[in-house]
């Protein structure tokens, strides 16, 4: 069983921690446990409850009415939501719940059914990336078990690779991009999604993958002379220093534009080296790719 903080619930549901505390006081659906140091924590089931209630509340149901519903009634109301954004949020929440429960068959079935109905392009943009965006902060904070991360990562990785293989672009952009993750970074899904977006745009991509030693990156960069070096940083263990990492790349390839996206772009940095651009959201990444 996972133990989630009130901040986790806030990040995953969009409901402010202050509001969650008020819900605890007024209604019966949340009963957090406490650690020996009196810090709240929430179970898998309580996370699911908050996600469901937040979704219904967002689309017009009062909390006092939701509190009186049975679990079956809550689910029925959620499934009946017809708004496209509500359907997306419901499916992303389902993926999250299947991951937490390690219900891998349902997790993959949901993706496969959506691929069959809408195509791989839609499942990547409509479900996979929003799912990754939502749970990335949990991975970074190590608030889910590594096994949960590994199994769903491999399922999504397979879908992304199929999507990349199936891409046919009707335009060609005369730009070359090297995609890589530095040593110690193994969270490859964001980089694979970027590969998919770039290939869809007709950009030439050299994909190095995860955990790339710096001397390998230096060799390939020198040999291939790319227009851009692109990395997506989610969570790197150990004594990784973001600023030193960027400075070192710039010193060895001063003529190449360096693009960085992912969770770590939100950390505080005193000064960016020249030639480095941070893309802090999916919309910023897509604007960059569209402008190539």
């Amino acid at each position: 069983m996972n133990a989630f903080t009130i901040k986790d619930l806030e990040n995953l549901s969009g409901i402010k921690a202050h509001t969650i505390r008020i819900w605890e006081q007024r209604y019966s659906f949340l009963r957090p446990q406490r650690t020996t140091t009196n810090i709240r924590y929430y179970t898998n089931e309580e996370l699911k409850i908050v996600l469901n209630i937040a979704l219904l509340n967002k689309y017009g149901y009062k909390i006092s009415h939701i509190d009186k519903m049975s679990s079956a009634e809550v689910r029925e109301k959620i499934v009946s939501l017809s708004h496209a954004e509500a359907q997306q949020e419901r499916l992303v929440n389902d993926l999250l719940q299947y991951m937490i429960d390690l219900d891998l068959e349902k997790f993959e079935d949901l993706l496969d059914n959506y691929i069959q109905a809408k195509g791989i392009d839609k499942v990547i943009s409509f479900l996979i990336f929003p799912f990754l965006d939502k749970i990335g902060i949990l991975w970074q904070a190590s608030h889910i078990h590594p096994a949960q991360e590994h199994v769903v990562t491999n399922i999504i990785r397979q879908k992304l690779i199929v999507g990349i293989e199936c891409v046919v672009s009707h335009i060609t952009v005369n730009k070359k991009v090297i995609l890589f993750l530095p040593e110690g970074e193994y969270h490859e899904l964001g980089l694979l999604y970027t590969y998919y977006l770039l290939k869809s745009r007709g950009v030439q991509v050299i994909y190095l993958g995860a955990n790339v030693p710096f001397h390998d990156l230096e060799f390939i960069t020198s040999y291939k002379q790319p227009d851009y070096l692109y990395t997506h940083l989610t969570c790197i263990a150990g004594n990784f220093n973001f600023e030193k990492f960027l400075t070192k790349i710039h010193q060895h390839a001063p003529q190449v534009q360096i693009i960085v996206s992912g969770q770590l772009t939100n950390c505080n940095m005193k000064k960016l080296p020249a030639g480095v651009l941070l893309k802090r959201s999916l919309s910023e990444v897509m604007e960059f790719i569209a402008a190539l």
Side-chain angles (χ1 to χ4, degrees), residues 217-279:
L217 175 65
E218 186 180 12
F219 173 79
I220 296 294
T221 301
S222 175
Y223 192 78
K224 286 294 187 179
Q225 294 293 305
D227 298 285
Y228 300 94
L229 289 172
Y230 191 112
T231 190
H232 184 90
L233 302 179
T234 302
C235 178
I236 304 182
N239 58 350
F240 179 78
N241 186 299
F242 195 8
E243 293 182 50
K244 287 183 179 179
F245 162 72
L246 295 176
T247 300
K248 187 176 181 181
I249 294 177
H250 177 66
Q251 287 173 346
H252 285 81
Q255 77 286 0
V256 181
Q257 182 88 63
I258 303 161
I259 310 296
V260 186
S261 59
Q263 293 284 345
L264 291 190
T265 59
N266 294 310
C267 68
N268 293 323
M269 295 212 313
K270 295 178 181 177
K271 185 179 180 181
L272 278 177
V276 176
L277 293 177
L278 302 184
K279 303 300 176 183

Side-chain angles (χ1 to χ4, degrees), residues 184-202:
E185 175 63 280
Y186 296 91
H187 296 79
E188 194 180 4
L189 299 184
L191 197 70
L192 280 169
Y193 185 63
T194 304
Y195 188 176
Y196 171 82
L197 293 173
L198 288 166
K199 189 176 178 184
S200 299
R201 176 71 173 156

Side-chain angles (χ1 to χ4, degrees), residues 5-18 20 50:
T5 67
I6 197 166
K7 190 66 177 177
D8 292 333
L9 267 62
E10 178 179 272
N11 289 326
L12 293 169
S13 69
I15 303 298
K16 295 294 185 183
H18 174 70
I20 294 173
V50 168

Side-chain angles (χ1 to χ4, degrees), residues 15-32 40 42 46 49-50 53-54 57 61-69 74:
I15 303 298
K16 295 294 185 183
H18 174 70
T19 302
I20 294 173
R21 292 189 187 99
I22 292 174
W23 288 0
E24 291 172 13
Q25 295 168 6
R26 294 183 181 177
Y27 306 109
S28 59
F29 51 77
L30 276 184
R31 288 290 180 267
R40 287 179 176 83
Y42 302 82
E46 285 166 329
I49 288 168
V50 168
I53 290 174
N57 182 237
Y61 289 86
K62 293 182 178 180
I63 299 297
S64 57
H65 292 169
I66 302 170
D67 188 39
K68 296 173 184 177
M69 295 179 190
V74 168

Side-chain angles (χ1 to χ4, degrees), residues 1-2 4 9 29-30 42-53 71 97 100-101:
M1 185 185 72
N2 300 96
F4 300 102
L9 267 62
F29 51 77
L30 276 184
Y42 302 82
T43 65
N44 297 351
E45 290 304 314
E46 285 166 329
L47 173 59
K48 296 176 195 176
I49 288 168
V50 168
L51 290 174
N52 288 337
I53 290 174
S71 297
Q97 293 175 25
I100 290 170
D101 293 338

